[in-house]
Amino acid sequence: MSLYSALKSKGPNGFGYGSTAEDVTAGLSLAGKTFLLTGCNSGLGLETMRVLRLRGAHVVGTARTEAKAAEAGNTAAGGSFTPLACELADAGSIRACVAAVKASGLRLDAILANAGIMALPKLEKAYGVELQFFTNHVGHFMLITGLLDALTDDGRVVVTSSGAHGSAPRGGIDFHNLGGERGYRGWTFYGQSKIANILFAKELARRFAGTGRTANALHPGVIQTNLGRSMLNPVTSFLFGLAGPFVLKSIPEGAATQTYLAAHPDAAKWSGEYFADCNPARPRRDATNAELARRLWDETEAIVADLPA
Ligand SMILES: NC(=O)c1ccc[n+]([C@@H]2O[C@H](COP(=O)([O-])OP(=O)(O)OC[C@H]3O[C@@H](n4cnc5c(N)ncnc54)[C@H](OP(=O)(O)O)[C@@H]3O)[C@@H](O)[C@H]2O)c1
C-alpha cells in the first residue's frame, strides 16, 4: 500500500482506493465459476487471474499467443486454467478464440476485457483502423459479442477503461478519423479507445436490460505496469520507479475494481456504470451519451462486417 492509499477513505461498499483484489474477494468461494480474462500474462490481468484462481475459479486466460497464456497460467495456483490465444489486433485470432470457447462448452460467469495498449507514439493501424482503437475497443467488441451465447444468464461483462478517457477528442469519438489519417496523437487516440470502452459497456448494458446480465466499465487507477512501455524512456522509467511506491496504486490495488465487478455478489446490482476505486464514479459527460453509445455500436459492427473472412 502506498502512502497515498493509506490516506484515502473507503467508498460506500467498504472498499476503496487501497483495496486489493484479494480484499474484494476475501471469504468468497468462486469454485464452480468460470471467468474469461484477456491480457492474463501481464500487469492487472496477471494479478486478476491469480486472485480469481486463489478463490477457486476456473479462468480462461487469453494472451497474444497460447504459449504466453500457458506460461502465465503456470505462475498461479488454485482453481483451474485454460490458456487460449487471442491477438486482439487479428480478426482470425479473435474468431478462433470465440470458436474454441464455444467448442469447450464452458459457460462464462464473467468476461473481463482487460488487455490494452497505451499512447503509441506513432500512428499504427489494423485493417485501416488506428491500432489502439482496434485493439482496445474493436477487438474486445468482436470477442464479447461473439461470446454472448456462452455467457450465463446472470453473466457479467467487465470492461477495463481508464480515467484517460478524458483525453478523447471533443464529442468523444471522431468517426471521421478512426484511421488517424486526419491527424494522430497517441494520448488522444488512447483516450478515444477508452471512452469507447465505457460507451460499449453502456450500450451492452442497455441491450441486457430486463435480463440478469450486466455490463460495466472501470478505471483501475494509475499503476506501474508494462502499459507505459511505449511512452517511457530510461529517465522517466527511473523517476516513475522512485515515485511509484508513494503515489501510485500497487498492482494488487489496481486489479481490485475489475475483480470486484466480476466476482463480488454485491456488484450484480450494477449495470451500465463506470467504476473507480471499487465504487461507482462519474466519467466524462459524453461517456454517458446513450445516442453516442448506440452510434458507436453500429459503426463498430460496420467495421467488423468489413473485416476479411
Ligand atoms: N496501468 C495503469 O495505470 C492503467 C490505468 C488505466 C487503465 N489501465 C488499463 O488496464 C488494462 C490492463 O493494463 P496493464 O496496466 O495491466 O498493462 P500491461 O501490463 O501492459 O498489460 C496489458 C495486457 O494487454 C495485452 N495486450 C496488448 N495488446 C494486445 C493485443 N493486440 N492482443 C492481445 N493482448 C494484448 C498485453 O499482452 P503483451 O504482454 O503480450 O503485450 C498484456 O497482457 C488496460 O486496458 C489499460 O488500458 C491501466
Side-chain angles (χ1 to χ4, degrees):
M1 181 185 282
S2 69
L3 268 181
Y4 191 58
S5 300
L7 295 172
K8 296 278 276 185
S9 55
K10 301 263 189 282
N13 60 8
F15 300 120
Y17 185 100
S19 300
T20 63
E22 287 199 20
D23 292 337
V24 301
T25 54
L28 291 183
S29 169
L30 300 179
K33 300 235 176 224
T34 301
F35 298 81
L36 184 141
L37 167 72
T38 66
C40 74
N41 63 299
S42 180
L44 310 186
L46 186 62
E47 174 65 1
T48 302
M49 182 264 291
R50 183 188 74 77
V51 173
L52 292 173
R53 287 184 57 187
L54 181 72
R55 304 303 182 212
H58 180 69
V59 177
V60 180
T62 80
R64 292 178 199 262
T65 64
E66 189 175 319
K68 263 191 168 184
E71 198 181 318
N74 288 337
T75 66
S80 48
F81 186 72
T82 303
L84 280 182
C86 184
E87 165 52 70
L88 288 159
D90 177 347
S93 174
I94 299 167
R95 291 190 194 109
C97 181
V98 169
V101 174
K102 286 187 170 172
S104 74
L106 285 168
R107 298 278 284 157
L108 305 174
D109 293 283
I111 302 172
L112 292 94
N114 158 81
I117 46 173
M118 181 178 79
L120 303 185
K122 286 194 186 134
L123 175 60
E124 293 178 56
K125 299 186 193 193
Y127 307 102
V129 176
E130 189 278 327
L131 190 59
Q132 295 174 90
F133 190 78
F134 196 98
T135 305
N136 299 351
H137 168 61
V138 180
H140 278 127
F141 177 97
M142 279 184 78
L143 181 70
I144 291 166
T145 55
L147 286 173
L148 290 181
D149 287 349
L151 193 65
T152 58
D153 292 344
D154 58 354
R156 305 177 186 183
V157 172
V158 178
V159 187
T160 305
S161 174
S162 170
H165 74 272
S167 68
R170 188 190 295 246
I173 309 282
D174 183 355
F175 290 105
H176 301 294
N177 191 28
L178 292 181
E181 299 86 357
R182 298 179 182 207
Y184 176 76
R185 286 180 170 207
W187 274 111
T188 308
F189 273 78
Y190 179 63
Q192 177 165 263
S193 74
K194 291 286 139 181
I195 205 168
N197 287 154
I198 303 174
L199 291 162
F200 168 59
K202 190 141 200 78
E203 173 62 10
L204 189 57
R206 191 187 71 76
R207 289 166 183 248
F208 282 166
T211 76
R213 293 172 165 180
T214 63
N216 291 288
L218 68 118
H219 168 55
V222 181
I223 310 105
Q224 191 172 11
T225 63
N226 289 328
L227 191 69
R229 66 190 135 190
S230 48
M231 50 177 263
L232 293 180
N233 58 43
V235 176
T236 48
S237 283
F238 177 70
L239 293 175
F240 228 57
L242 282 184
F246 299 100
V247 296
L248 303 180
K249 276 191 182 182
S250 65
I251 288 177
E253 290 168 341
T257 304
Q258 61 196 34
T259 306
Y260 174 79
L261 280 169
H264 199 285
D266 291 353
K269 65 176 182 248
W270 300 106
S271 195
E273 291 290 329
Y274 174 72
F275 271 63
D277 302 336
C278 307
N279 282 274
R282 205 179 289 178
R284 201 174 107 170
R285 185 188 284 194
D286 41 16
T288 64
N289 180 333
E291 254 329 291
L292 181 62
R294 267 180 237 218
R295 179 168 179 204
L296 175 65
W297 186 286
D298 292 344
E299 302 262 358
T300 310
E301 263 183 345
I303 291 171
V304 172
D306 271 355
L307 294 173

